[in-house]
Amino acid sequence: MDEENFNLSMRKFLKMVGVSSQNAIEKAVEKAIAEGNIKGSESFPAKMTLDIEGIKLHIAFDGEIRLQ
């Protein structure tokens, strides 16, 4: 295993997931506020799942997104 390539590819993947997820959440919140579905002061439970079938990894992360 090439440790440097492994770490670089993991960081690249996690950065892509983080940036893409943040953009998707921001757009969904803005749309929900614009449509009057939420006020903008709510908190929402959030769950993210990571699956890597080749190494049989399945892990869920639970958290909260607070708008205020």
Side-chain angles (χ1 to χ4, degrees):
M1 178 172 72
D2 182 337
E3 197 75 31
E4 187 175 332
N5 189 46
F6 173 53
N7 286 326
L8 184 62
S9 67
M10 271 197 304
R11 286 188 201 127
K12 185 177 179 180
F13 173 74
L14 292 172
K15 183 176 180 179
M16 182 265 308
V17 169
V19 170
S20 298
S21 298
Q22 182 175 348
N23 288 339
I25 293 166
E26 288 171 349
K27 287 178 184 176
V29 167
E30 290 169 1
K31 181 179 179 191
I33 290 172
E35 293 175 349
N37 296 326
I38 62 174
K39 295 177 184 175
S41 58
E42 296 86 348
S43 293
F44 303 101
K47 184 173 187 174
M48 177 80 65
T49 304
L50 174 64
D51 290 307
I52 304 176
E53 292 192 23
I55 57 172
K56 298 179 181 171
L57 177 65
H58 176 83
I59 186 167
F61 301 92
D62 293 306
E64 180 181 37
I65 303 294
R66 294 184 300 257
L67 303 184
Q68 225 176 38

